[in-house]
Amino acid sequence: MTAEIITIGDEILIGQIVDSNSAFIAQNLNKIGISVHQITSIEDDKSHILQTLEEASVRADVIIITGGLGPTNDDVTKNTLCEYFDDILVNNEEVLEHVEELFAKHISTPISNLNREQALVPSKAHILFNKYGTAPGLWLKKGEKVFIAMPGVPFEMKMMMELEVIPKLKKEFKRSFIFHKTIKTYGLGESAIALRIEEWERNLPVSIKLAYLPALGKVRLRLSGKGENEEELKLAIEHEFEKIYPLLEDIISDYSGDDDDITLTINKLLVAKKCFLAVAESCTGGEIAAEFTANPGASNCFKGGTVTYATQSKLDILGVPAGLIEKHSVVSAEVCEAMAKNVKKMFKSDYALATTGNAGPTKGDSDAEVGTVYISLATPEGVFSKKFILGKSREQVVKKAVAKAFEMLLKELNGK
Amino acid sequence: MTAEIITIGDEILIGQIVDSNSAFIAQNLNKIGISVHQITSIEDDKSHILQTLEEASVRADVIIITGGLGPTNDDVTKNTLCEYFDDILVNNEEVLEHVEELFAKHISTPISNLNREQALVPSKAHILFNKYGTAPGLWLKKGEKVFIAMPGVPFEMKMMMELEVIPKLKKEFKRSFIFHKTIKTYGLGESAIALRIEEWERNLPVSIKLAYLPALGKVRLRLSGKGENEEELKLAIEHEFEKIYPLLEDIISDYSGDDDDITLTINKLLVAKKCFLAVAESCTGGEIAAEFTANPGASNCFKGGTVTYATQSKLDILGVPAGLIEKHSVVSAEVCEAMAKNVKKMFKSDYALATTGNAGPTKGDSDAEVGTVYISLATPEGVFSKKFILGKSREQVVKKAVAKAFEMLLKELNGK
């Protein structure tokens, strides 16, 4: 069973927003055995929408549309669907009641006719309840093809997928199974990995696909399969995993297969050791702490940290000796190690990461070249540092520094 | 002049990654007067790629393709382009030299034949130099239509757009002008705004489009136009802006039109006042600091902050009195205000934001319901707090809390 996703809204086509909805929808369709054949983003334009609906319905069984259901004039999806299904808009009492209740309880401005018109829906549509917003979702059929329209506001769409769309798809269709297993590696490029596993890859059964997903110093390898028998499919993929594992053992950072973020892997290792982390960030500006605490359960292994952005704050807050900064400059291994040691003591943690560097675009309180970053790791046994040159783009420098910091900690926790 | 973007890679269709490349490409095409008609994501599949290329070339003048140019077997774009252009792969000496140099200078693993094969390119292609990677970009023509293939690795693609694609498009084509102006509002929903500006919107010239972009408590309004005369176009949009401004004056947070993030607006206001900010974060886990320091120039108005995730750290690091926590619980206005006041003193800043709350999914060191967040703002004059109930999704709670914190600070700086 295949689906296509159509996202409607000029804001995607002018690059004002990134389309994150499609990834969420695709993930959740995959989980119930529906693969996504194509994702198409188009503007709020009636004729383009009609053409895209027609093309998608030739290729896929389920067409999922997001966006263009709002109350304002630039939203044309509902009227366009009416034209496509040769339908008219009718008032839906239940939706109207919900919109009125939302306004009465949660919205400070008075309800208007524009809001009430959200209750106008195509007469042939089954309504998908929007618990968190005023635009209802729509489920329409043309022959055997299903068309599902959802609002584009990410949170509303996500809740509607979870509470309405996925359960209804599961109930109405017999689907096959899709299974992915992801192996995360670090320290080797994709072509070097490809050479190592060349023979294994050549012998991979046609039913299992291998994909390489390269990113900053990390390559994820994904094994994917689709089949009618869930157990057989999983076994086949696990079987291939057991063959690839010894070939890559020294560079695998995680093979739980659930595509965990590196922070989650670290979280689990710290909790298993009953250890806590603290961080002292300068050039990474809080991003290490923010990424680490994005996982629920961070409180079981994370004490906290400091963002000492200004040089003076490194003295005042972290107690880095002024003489050390004067002697080695604020961007140096010595200062970074002092930050790590001191933050570990302050927060009474077992491990501590520290960063100091120059993310650019101009030089800061030191003469270090833009892109120079020191990362230090204090452990129960001592402290050590690495120096990195991470390019000229501020965003990239921060991103890479955060990745490197987590890699250093992961290696240490893995005893490598 | 119109373009279409085609992104190739299974990872987008299974939702493993979000397609951020397209937004970047679209933004940069818009800046030189090329509008994007459609964005299509498809898997690494020869026949699907061929069909998509054919369809896109009917609708658009420029077809930009990303992804599938890597050295491994799952990358099929280069061979597929050969088939589409009835071409063969030939070795390019310049690319080979570059690949060899990259390996010699920056990559620790030895170069392999897979890497050298990156220098095989379609004979009809003009080469787009990839300064930061081994896969060259390709520029091909079929009649009047231009096809541009770039690697999918975001950083490599971005640099290639900037250094190669945009300059070449500017040189080879006469383009019209596209101009967007974005007005950011807060505190009012899109339908309430639509009612306020109803009459103005009705009288908007057809050449100017209005879009509503709603997000958590904020609505961005975008005026867009396309034309042959840059000056006339800008004047027409500025003229409409002057008419809409008085209708929305009380809810506009930013109208610089450059779609600045709220953090950048705050940055500018703080620098103008010669004031500095510090932050004391609990449930937001460093995200406020990270977002604020994502802007270059943060060091001119940001001292730093603490992430006191564990309750004990609030005592140890910020000196919040244990009695206060005992009496009011760790998630309370009283504790939050103490955090803000103390971090302001510690970092010798003029303003300080503090957060404490429960982001979920389970209750932490307090009895506060999941989603409860207090935000305090210490100013040169005093300190005040607000309580928010921000839902049950951890990610959403953090995101909304960060947005609310910046809104509180912006209002204060604007003297509202």
Side-chain angles (χ1 to χ4, degrees):
Chain A
M1 192 169 182
T2 62
E4 291 209 7
I5 301 169
I6 301 171
T7 64
I8 297 172
D10 299 2
E11 58 274 23
I12 294 172
L13 293 163
I14 69 166
Q16 191 162 28
I17 66 159
V18 167
D19 169 27
S20 59
N21 281 351
S22 294
F24 178 88
I25 295 170
Q27 266 175 30
N28 284 280
L29 291 176
N30 265 229
K31 279 184 196 154
I32 60 164
I34 300 175
S35 45
V36 176
H37 185 66
Q38 180 167 321
I39 300 168
T40 312
S41 296
I42 53 174
E43 60 202 68
D44 299 282
D45 173 271
K46 196 178 244 194
S47 67
H48 199 171
I49 298 173
L50 288 172
Q51 187 201 337
T52 308
L53 288 174
E54 190 54 40
E55 286 172 6
S57 72
V58 173
R59 293 180 298 245
D61 310 301
V62 177
I63 294 94
I64 296 197
I65 304 143
T66 63
L69 293 178
T72 52
N73 288 333
D74 55 332
D75 291 311
V76 300
T77 302
K78 211 158 62 174
N79 283 313
T80 307
L81 285 172
C82 269
E83 188 169 327
Y84 187 68
F85 287 94
D86 194 17
D87 201 357
I88 51 160
L89 292 176
V90 294
N91 189 58
N92 182 299
E93 276 305 323
E94 229 176 317
V95 175
L96 185 60
E97 233 169 76
H98 169 63
V99 171
E100 284 175 342
E101 200 189 313
L102 268 183
F103 267 81
K105 282 195 180 162
H106 299 291
I107 301 173
S108 56
T109 44
I111 190 166
S112 73
N113 278 340
L114 280 181
N115 305 123
R116 289 200 185 90
E117 281 167 17
Q118 296 280 47
L120 291 177
V121 295
S123 74
K124 296 173 185 168
H126 166 87
I127 299 305
L128 303 167
F129 189 61
N130 183 356
K131 202 171 161 187
Y132 298 94
T134 57
L138 308 168
W139 174 293
L140 287 145
K141 276 189 126 172
K142 200 168 202 173
E144 288 305 300
K145 310 285 182 170
V146 174
F147 295 75
I148 299 163
M150 291 188 287
V153 178
F155 188 61
E156 295 178 23
M157 180 283 295
K158 284 180 184 174
M159 296 312 289
M160 191 179 286
M161 270 298 279
E162 196 175 299
L163 300 173
E164 300 275 334
V165 175
I166 294 294
K168 194 165 163 69
L169 284 170
K170 278 166 90 171
K171 208 177 104 191
E172 300 211 356
F173 297 98
K174 195 180 153 5
R175 296 143 286 111
S176 35
F177 296 94
I178 296 174
F179 188 61
H180 304 292
K181 186 167 176 110
T182 301
I183 302 157
K184 286 185 286 178
T185 70
Y186 60 91
L188 213 58
E190 57 175 329
S191 56
I193 293 175
L195 284 179
R196 273 211 199 177
I197 60 174
E198 202 176 2
E199 201 193 320
W200 168 84
E201 189 178 349
R202 206 170 30 239
N203 293 317
L204 206 56
V206 284
S207 60
I208 298 179
K209 277 183 85 171
L210 172 71
Y212 294 80
L213 303 158
L216 304 168
K218 298 178 284 189
V219 178
R220 288 182 292 176
L221 298 174
R222 192 190 59 236
L223 294 168
S224 304
K226 193 169 181 173
E228 298 310 313
N229 185 316
E230 189 175 10
E231 270 316 298
E232 269 175 30
L233 179 67
K234 280 191 175 171
L235 275 176
I237 288 182
E238 288 297 342
H239 181 65
E240 291 306 325
F241 172 71
E242 270 161 36
K243 286 197 272 180
I244 198 178
Y245 183 80
L247 305 172
L248 301 174
E249 195 170 3
D250 57 321
I251 57 163
I252 287 179
S253 65
D254 185 77
Y255 52 83
S256 55
D258 49 7
D259 208 18
D260 269 4
D261 190 82
I262 191 167
T263 55
L264 206 51
T265 312
I266 291 172
N267 192 316
K268 288 175 189 166
L269 288 167
L270 284 170
V271 170
K273 282 183 198 278
K274 298 202 173 85
C275 282
F276 280 81
L277 174 69
V279 297
E281 303 188 59
S282 179
C283 62
T284 49
E287 190 62 34
I288 296 179
E291 287 192 19
F292 197 77
T293 57
N295 296 312
S299 51
N300 299 322
C301 57
F302 186 67
K303 292 271 189 183
T306 61
V307 182
T308 49
Y309 211 64
T311 298
Q312 188 62 39
S313 303
K314 293 183 183 73
L315 280 79
D316 296 347
I317 310 296
L318 284 174
V320 176
L324 202 68
I325 294 178
E326 225 161 89
K327 191 171 169 196
H328 301 283
S329 112
V330 70
V331 177
S332 65
E334 289 78 6
V335 168
C336 199
E337 290 183 7
M339 289 168 66
K341 279 193 294 192
N342 293 3
V343 85
K344 177 170 168 267
K345 207 181 292 171
M346 275 172 74
F347 280 84
K348 297 172 185 146
S349 69
D350 308 284
Y351 292 87
L353 281 167
T355 62
T356 179
N358 186 352
T362 54
K363 287 182 181 180
D365 283 353
S366 103
D367 279 337
E369 282 302 320
V370 171
T372 310
V373 175
Y374 287 89
I375 303 175
S376 300
L377 175 60
T379 71
E381 289 82 35
V383 62
F384 64 94
S385 310
K386 284 192 181 177
K387 181 185 179 177
F388 300 93
I389 308 291
L390 301 174
K392 300 289 174 208
S393 139
R394 183 181 178 85
E395 197 192 327
Q396 286 294 312
V397 171
V398 172
K399 227 169 150 179
K400 287 183 192 177
V402 171
K404 290 292 174 197
F406 286 132
E407 267 177 45
M408 277 170 69
L409 179 56
L410 178 64
K411 268 195 194 176
E412 179 67 25
L413 292 172
N414 274 334
K416 280 175 207 164
Chain B
M1 193 168 181
T2 62
E4 291 209 6
I5 301 169
I6 302 171
T7 65
I8 297 173
D10 300 1
E11 58 275 23
I12 294 172
L13 293 163
I14 68 165
Q16 193 163 27
I17 65 160
V18 167
D19 169 27
S20 59
N21 282 350
S22 295
F24 179 87
I25 295 169
Q27 266 174 29
N28 283 280
L29 291 176
N30 266 229
K31 280 184 196 155
I32 61 164
I34 300 175
S35 45
V36 176
H37 185 66
Q38 180 167 320
I39 300 168
T40 312
S41 296
I42 54 175
E43 61 201 280
D44 299 284
D45 174 89
K46 196 178 245 193
S47 66
H48 199 173
I49 297 174
L50 289 172
Q51 186 201 339
T52 308
L53 288 173
E54 190 54 39
E55 286 171 6
S57 72
V58 173
R59 293 180 296 244
D61 309 302
V62 177
I63 294 93
I64 296 196
I65 303 143
T66 64
L69 292 178
T72 52
N73 288 333
D74 55 331
D75 291 311
V76 301
T77 302
K78 212 158 62 175
N79 284 312
T80 307
L81 285 172
C82 268
E83 189 168 326
Y84 187 68
F85 287 94
D86 193 16
D87 200 358
I88 51 161
L89 292 175
V90 295
N91 189 59
N92 183 299
E93 276 304 322
E94 229 177 316
V95 175
L96 185 59
E97 237 170 74
H98 169 64
V99 171
E100 284 175 344
E101 201 189 313
L102 269 183
F103 266 82
K105 281 195 182 163
H106 299 293
I107 301 174
S108 56
T109 44
I111 190 167
S112 72
N113 279 340
L114 281 181
N115 305 123
R116 288 200 186 88
E117 281 167 16
Q118 295 281 47
L120 292 175
V121 295
S123 75
K124 299 173 184 168
H126 166 86
I127 299 304
L128 304 167
F129 190 61
N130 183 356
K131 202 171 162 186
Y132 298 95
T134 58
L138 309 168
W139 175 292
L140 288 145
K141 274 189 126 172
K142 200 170 203 171
E144 288 305 300
K145 309 287 181 169
V146 174
F147 295 75
I148 299 163
M150 291 189 287
V153 179
F155 188 61
E156 296 178 22
M157 180 282 295
K158 285 180 184 175
M159 296 313 287
M160 190 178 287
M161 270 297 281
E162 198 174 297
L163 300 174
E164 300 275 334
V165 175
I166 294 294
K168 195 165 162 68
L169 284 170
K170 277 166 89 170
K171 208 177 106 192
E172 301 210 355
F173 297 97
K174 195 181 153 8
R175 297 141 286 113
S176 36
F177 296 94
I178 296 175
F179 187 62
H180 304 291
K181 186 167 175 109
T182 301
I183 301 156
K184 286 184 286 179
T185 70
Y186 59 91
L188 212 59
E190 58 175 331
S191 55
I193 293 175
L195 284 179
R196 273 211 202 177
I197 61 174
E198 200 175 5
E199 202 190 321
W200 169 84
E201 190 177 350
R202 205 167 34 236
N203 293 317
L204 206 56
V206 284
S207 60
I208 298 178
K209 275 182 87 171
L210 172 71
Y212 294 81
L213 303 158
L216 302 169
K218 299 178 284 191
V219 177
R220 288 183 293 176
L221 298 174
R222 192 189 59 237
L223 294 168
S224 304
K226 192 169 182 173
E228 297 311 313
N229 186 315
E230 189 175 10
E231 270 316 298
E232 270 176 30
L233 179 66
K234 280 190 177 171
L235 276 176
I237 288 182
E238 288 298 342
H239 181 65
E240 291 306 326
F241 172 71
E242 269 161 38
K243 288 199 269 179
I244 198 178
Y245 183 81
L247 305 173
L248 301 175
E249 196 169 0
D250 57 320
I251 57 163
I252 287 178
S253 65
D254 185 76
Y255 51 83
S256 55
D258 49 7
D259 208 19
D260 269 5
D261 190 81
I262 190 167
T263 55
L264 205 52
T265 312
I266 290 172
N267 192 318
K268 288 175 188 167
L269 288 167
L270 284 171
V271 169
K273 281 181 197 278
K274 297 200 174 88
C275 283
F276 280 81
L277 174 68
V279 297
E281 303 188 59
S282 179
C283 61
T284 50
E287 190 62 34
I288 296 179
E291 287 192 18
F292 197 77
T293 57
N295 296 313
S299 51
N300 300 322
C301 57
F302 185 67
K303 292 272 189 183
T306 60
V307 182
T308 49
Y309 211 63
T311 298
Q312 187 63 37
S313 302
K314 294 183 183 73
L315 280 79
D316 296 348
I317 310 297
L318 285 173
V320 176
L324 202 68
I325 295 179
E326 223 162 274
K327 190 170 169 197
H328 300 284
S329 112
V330 70
V331 178
S332 64
E334 289 79 5
V335 168
C336 200
E337 291 183 6
M339 290 169 66
K341 279 192 295 191
N342 293 5
V343 85
K344 177 170 169 267
K345 207 181 292 170
M346 277 173 73
F347 280 83
K348 297 172 186 145
S349 69
D350 308 285
Y351 293 87
L353 281 167
T355 62
T356 180
N358 184 354
T362 54
K363 287 183 181 180
D365 283 352
S366 100
D367 280 336
E369 281 302 320
V370 171
T372 310
V373 175
Y374 287 89
I375 304 176
S376 300
L377 176 59
T379 72
E381 289 83 35
V383 61
F384 65 93
S385 309
K386 282 192 183 179
K387 180 186 180 178
F388 300 94
I389 308 292
L390 301 174
K392 301 289 175 208
S393 140
R394 184 180 178 86
E395 197 192 328
Q396 286 293 313
V397 171
V398 172
K399 227 168 150 180
K400 288 183 190 176
V402 172
K404 290 292 174 198
F406 286 132
E407 267 176 46
M408 277 171 68
L409 179 55
L410 178 64
K411 268 195 193 174
E412 180 66 25
L413 292 171
N414 274 334
K416 282 174 207 162

